[in-house]
Structures are given as structure tokens and as C-alpha cells.
Amino acid sequence: MWLAASSLYLAILSFTDTWFFLHIALTLGADRLLLGLAGAAWSAVFALSNVLLGGVVEAGRNRLGAVTSSALLCLATLAIVWSGGTLNAVVAYSLLHAAATSLGRMAATVTLLEYLSSDAWGRYNFLSNAATMGVRGALLVLAYYGCLSGI
């Protein structure tokens, strides 16, 4: 059950990354420089979050990492949708979404490593990645056809 839930959540994180970036670029009209800065800031916050918050998840607090990631994703979504401007949306994307993605990935990976025997890691990692990409692809197709336009 946790494999399906973590795969779904990782797919949502990946989908929202694409959706947020496109929303900032196309709906809010950010220029190329701001989009480049947003991508760079996102990467920096992602790496910094891994370093600073990795110990929490590695200490066995996977659920705390997952819950914090979910809360950050909710805050990022609200902040970007209600941003009122491009700069506010870029800051929310770069800070909140990057930290949510970092924590979510760490929580899912550590859970995978802790709850499975080492013999099964490869198989479950493959299944998790395949499920994540499948759900992400389905979400992108639904978004393309306007089925998620109310989001």
C-alpha cells in the first residue's frame, strides 16, 4: 500500500513542478531571465533541503518528512495560485515546492529502503519509478485535454 501511495505522491510532485513552472511562464507571463532564476533557485533550495532536512528523514522520521512535504506542497499551490504577481509565485515555487519535493523524495526513498529486504530494492524501485512516471504521464494528458483546468 505504501508503495502505491508514495508513487502517487511522487507523481503529483513531479506534475506540479511542470504545472507551476508553466503557470508562471504562460499565465503570469514571466520573462526568460526570471524563469532561469526560478529554476536555479529551485535547484539550490532542493539541494540545501536535502542537506539540512535529510537527517530528519534518515533518523527514522519518514512520516514527519512526508507530512511536512505535503503541507509545503499545499502551501506552494495556494501561494502560486493566489500569488497576485509573478515574483511572489516564483518565490513560492522556488522555496516551498523545492523543499516539498526534496522531503517527499527522501521520505519515499528511505521508506523503500527501510521496509524492504535488500534483495527486493531493485524490483520495488523499478515498480515505484514506473508507477510514478505512469501517473505523471496520465496527469499531463489530463491537463492537456483540459480535465484539470479547475486546479
Side-chain angles (χ1 to χ4, degrees), residues 20-108:
F20 290 161
F21 202 81
L22 288 174
H23 177 73
I24 291 167
L26 301 175
T27 304
L28 300 178
D31 62 9
R32 288 179 281 180
L33 176 62
L34 190 57
L35 291 173
L37 291 173
W42 190 98
S43 297
V45 170
F46 180 85
L48 192 60
S49 296
N50 275 322
V51 171
L52 296 177
L53 303 173
V56 172
V57 175
E58 289 176 6
R61 294 187 171 155
N62 308 11
R63 288 185 181 159
L64 176 62
V67 167
T68 304
S69 173
S70 299
L72 289 170
L73 180 61
C74 290
L75 289 173
T77 302
L78 293 174
I80 290 169
V81 170
W82 294 338
S83 67
T86 307
L87 187 59
N88 292 339
V90 166
V91 170
Y93 169 74
S94 300
L95 292 177
L96 299 173
H97 187 267
T101 302
S102 173
L103 274 170
R105 283 180 160 183
M106 281 189 289

Side-chain angles (χ1 to χ4, degrees), residues 122-145:
R123 185 176 75 236
Y124 277 92
N125 191 39
F126 173 79
L127 289 172
S128 176
N129 288 335
T132 298
M133 290 299 121
V135 171
R136 179 179 185 250
L139 288 171
L140 289 172
V141 168
L142 289 172
Y144 175 78
Y145 285 108

